[in-house]
Structures are given as C-alpha cells and as structure tokens.
C-alpha cells in the first residue's frame, strides 16, 4: 500500500514538472497547434471553390470567405480567431501585417525580442510592388519558427511545389522561406 502511494506521488510530481500547454492559453503555441491541424487540407475542385475539410470551410465562411475568393488571409484570421487572439486581419492579405509590432521587415530584424509564446504572422511582398502603400503584400501565413536565415510557416492557399505565392495554391502546407526583403514578420500577441 505504501509502495503504491510512493509511486503515485512520484508520477504526480513528474506530471507537474512537465511543461504543459492547454488550448486555453491563447499564445503562440496554441496558434501553432491549431494551424498544424489543417496541414494537408486541400481544395476540392481547385480555383478556391472549397475544401476537403468541411470544418475549415465553415470556419472561414463565418469570417467572410466565399467560394472563388483567395484564402491565405482568411486562413490566418481563422486560426487567430480560433485561438482567441485579438486581430484586425480580414480577407485582404495586407491586413495581416501588424505595423504596431514589427519583428522582421525589409531584409532585417527590427527586434529579436520575441519568444515561442508570441503570436507571429508572416506577410510576403511582391518585389515590384514593395514600395507601394501596403508594401506589395499579397500572401500571408502563420509563423511556426524563425531561424537565423529562414522562417518556417504554415500557410493556406499555397502549394508544396515551391511556388512563392497563393496564385497557384491548392492547400495548407508547411513552408520554409528564406528571410529576404520580401518577407515581413509581425507580432499579434506578446506573451511574457
């Protein structure tokens, strides 16, 4: 009997020492867990007409997406909303750029003061429009990890063939993109 109690106390102590995250924590971890759930979802019929995952289609439709609309930004908004992250992202990809908390833009880090708990979003500019009012942003995704020379993202309306934008997109994929003048990383929630 005493041996069972010692084992139980030991297991309880181990369980309390292991860091745990819940989907109630509404931080970067939660955002990434939700986004990862959709990796592999593809369009049904192409041309932004719908998805193999009816749950994702319903969630995005609740946020204004309609068949035929480009959907990378709707995907980002849906993930942030599901994680209870306050945001002003719409179906228009330039709205995914948060000018109030920029981490990386124009080929350089503005700050390296971010953690895995922070909620980061990547925006992608088209070179020829980069100096325009909205930085030429035409695509967006959820940041999974920032490396020294690249960013790992989860993006909707992209493909796994290496295309850099959503014009040829057909699903949700994990992408590794080099940090360049066309990449912008902004924070939607800072967690300390």
């Amino acid at each position: 009997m005493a041996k069972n109690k010692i084992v139980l106390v030991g297991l309880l102590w181990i369980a309390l020492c292991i860091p745990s995250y819940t989907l109630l924590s509404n931080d970067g971890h939660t955002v990434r867990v939700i986004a990862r759930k959709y990796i592999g979802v593809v369009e049904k019929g192409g041309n932004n007409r719908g998805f193999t995952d009816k749950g994702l289609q319903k969630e995005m439709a609740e946020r204004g997406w309609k068949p035929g609309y480009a959907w990378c930004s709707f995907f980002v908004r849906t993930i942030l909303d599901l994680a209870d992250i306050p945001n002003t992202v719409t179906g228009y990809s330039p709205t995914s750029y948060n000018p109030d908390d920029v981490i990386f833009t124009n080929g350089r880090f503005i700050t390296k003061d971010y953690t895995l708990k922070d909620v980061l979003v990547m925006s992608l500019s088209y070179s020829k429009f980069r100096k325009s009012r909205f930085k030429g942003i035409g695509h967006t995704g959820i940041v999974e990890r920032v490396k020294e020379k690249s960013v790992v993202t989860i993006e909707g309306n992209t493909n796994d063939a290496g295309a850099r934008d959503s014009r040829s997109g057909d699903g949700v994929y994990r992408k590794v993109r080099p940090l360049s003048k066309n990449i912008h990383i902004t924070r939607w929630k800072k967690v300390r």
Side-chain angles (χ1 to χ4, degrees), residues 106-170:
N106 298 324
R108 65 185 180 88
F109 282 96
I110 304 304
T111 182
K112 289 203 175 186
D113 179 30
Y114 58 89
T115 70
L116 286 174
K117 290 183 179 181
D118 294 344
V119 177
L120 305 178
V121 171
M122 178 274 309
S123 305
L124 179 67
S125 292
Y126 296 104
S127 296
K128 63 183 178 181
F129 301 115
R130 202 170 49 236
K131 294 186 189 224
S132 70
R133 180 174 175 200
F134 297 109
K135 294 185 171 284
I137 293 171
H139 187 62
T140 186
I142 299 293
V143 172
E144 199 169 22
R145 190 168 10 126
V146 180
K147 297 181 175 182
E148 186 179 336
K149 296 186 184 217
S150 63
V151 59
V152 181
T153 58
I154 300 170
E155 302 171 25
N157 206 18
T158 192
N159 64 47
D160 63 353
R164 69 183 239 17
D165 59 49
S166 58
R167 284 179 276 185
S168 56
D170 69 353

Side-chain angles (χ1 to χ4, degrees), residues 62-142:
E62 288 174 3
R63 288 156 181 84
W65 174 83
K66 294 181 179 162
Y69 285 11
W71 55 277
C72 61
S73 192
F74 283 109
F75 177 74
V76 168
R77 179 179 177 193
T78 297
I79 300 304
L80 295 179
D81 285 355
L82 290 174
D84 283 333
I85 305 299
N87 69 85
T88 55
V89 179
T90 68
Y92 183 50
S93 56
T95 64
S96 67
Y97 180 90
N98 181 5
D100 297 329
D101 203 348
V102 179
I103 303 296
F104 183 91
T105 194
N106 298 324
R108 65 185 180 88
F109 282 96
I110 304 304
T111 182
K112 289 203 175 186
D113 179 30
Y114 58 89
T115 70
L116 286 174
K117 290 183 179 181
D118 294 344
V119 177
L120 305 178
V121 171
M122 178 274 309
S123 305
L124 179 67
S125 292
Y126 296 104
S127 296
K128 63 183 178 181
F129 301 115
R130 202 170 49 236
K131 294 186 189 224
S132 70
R133 180 174 175 200
F134 297 109
K135 294 185 171 284
I137 293 171
H139 187 62
T140 186
I142 299 293

Side-chain angles (χ1 to χ4, degrees), residues 151-189:
V151 59
V152 181
T153 58
I154 300 170
E155 302 171 25
N157 206 18
T158 192
N159 64 47
D160 63 353
R164 69 183 239 17
D165 59 49
S166 58
R167 284 179 276 185
S168 56
D170 69 353
V172 179
Y173 297 93
R174 178 177 282 122
K175 304 283 278 195
V176 178
R177 295 188 181 273
L179 290 174
S180 69
K181 290 187 178 192
N182 295 336
I183 295 286
H184 312 283
I185 299 171
T186 59
R187 178 173 25 216
W188 282 93
K189 183 173 183 182

